[in-house]
Amino acid sequence: VDNLCSSGEECTKVLSASGRWVERLIHFSNECQIIVASFYGISGASVKGTKHTDNERLMQMALTRIAVNGAVPYIFGTDLNDNPNHSESVTMAVEAEIVEDVVAAAFGNAPPPTYCKGGIHEGMRGSGCTRIDTLLCNSTARHALQSIQYVYNNSHRFDHVPIAGIFNIRRYL
């Protein structure tokens, strides 16, 4: 990515100012820490145009944050408001092995929808149902991942399926 930000610090400032991104460093011990981040994509980003371009730019900055943190386990949850497979930023980061879309991998690269306009339920398909949410992990966090699952129980009031990622952080303690 060319000239996104002159430094990791500048990316952090732009992302924070957007109000769509948060990143936290969690210390488990002096020797163990992980980074957990979240990004809320721009509504309407799935349609090519300004919103899509702006969403991609923010996503590129967030993915740059993952890359600059090296081997520190990094777990990145996102409601991209676009299918991760349609995001040039996500596709390039996966191809460059900066991140893995662990939800796609858990479902054999054919994950079910994570969003349904009329409310979520197992087996949802059709108009208004799509995949716009995922977990992206760097290789260090990926090695700690034990399982991924969609949580449909008690989620009937939501239009997004909660995604549960179970990580074995003890291996880093």
Side-chain angles (χ1 to χ4, degrees), residues 41-42 50 60 98 102 118 132 151 170:
I42 298 169
T50 304
Q60 288 172 357
I98 295 167
V102 295
I132 58 175
V151 182
R170 291 184 193 273

Side-chain angles (χ1 to χ4, degrees), residues 137-154:
C137 294
N138 67 1
S139 62
T140 312
R142 171 64 186 100
H143 290 296
L145 180 67
Q146 291 182 312
S147 68
I148 289 284
Q149 61 186 24
Y150 286 6
V151 182
Y152 294 101
N153 302 1
N154 300 317

Side-chain angles (χ1 to χ4, degrees), residues 13-154:
K13 287 179 184 176
V14 172
L15 286 163
S16 294
S18 77
R20 298 186 164 278
W21 173 86
V22 64
E23 177 185 79
R24 295 294 179 256
L25 177 67
I26 302 168
H27 290 275
F28 290 97
S29 70
N30 288 338
E31 296 82 34
C32 178
Q33 56 192 12
I34 66 169
I35 299 171
V36 178
S38 178
F39 173 75
Y40 176 59
I42 298 169
S43 184
S46 62
V47 178
K48 299 292 183 204
T50 304
K51 290 179 180 181
H52 177 80
T53 301
D54 291 347
N55 204 52
E56 284 293 306
R57 182 171 169 73
L58 290 171
M59 192 63 180
Q60 288 172 357
M61 288 183 201
L63 292 164
T64 298
R65 292 286 308 144
I66 296 171
V68 300
N69 278 287
V72 175
Y74 200 112
I75 303 164
F76 182 46
T78 181
D79 166 358
L80 193 55
N81 272 315
D82 193 5
N83 186 317
N85 294 334
H86 300 161
S87 167
E88 298 90 356
S89 303
V90 173
T91 299
M92 289 172 52
V94 168
E95 288 174 355
E97 298 181 354
I98 295 167
V99 295
E100 180 177 350
D101 182 341
V102 295
V103 173
F107 288 97
N109 289 320
T114 59
Y115 171 83
C116 195
K117 187 174 184 174
I120 61 168
H121 55 87
E122 200 161 356
M124 59 191 188
R125 296 269 185 260
S127 179
C129 298
T130 188
R131 176 176 177 247
I132 58 175
D133 308 284
T134 198
L135 284 177
L136 303 172
C137 294
N138 67 1
S139 62
T140 312
R142 171 64 186 100
H143 290 296
L145 180 67
Q146 291 182 312
S147 68
I148 289 284
Q149 61 186 24
Y150 286 6
V151 182
Y152 294 101
N153 302 1
N154 300 317

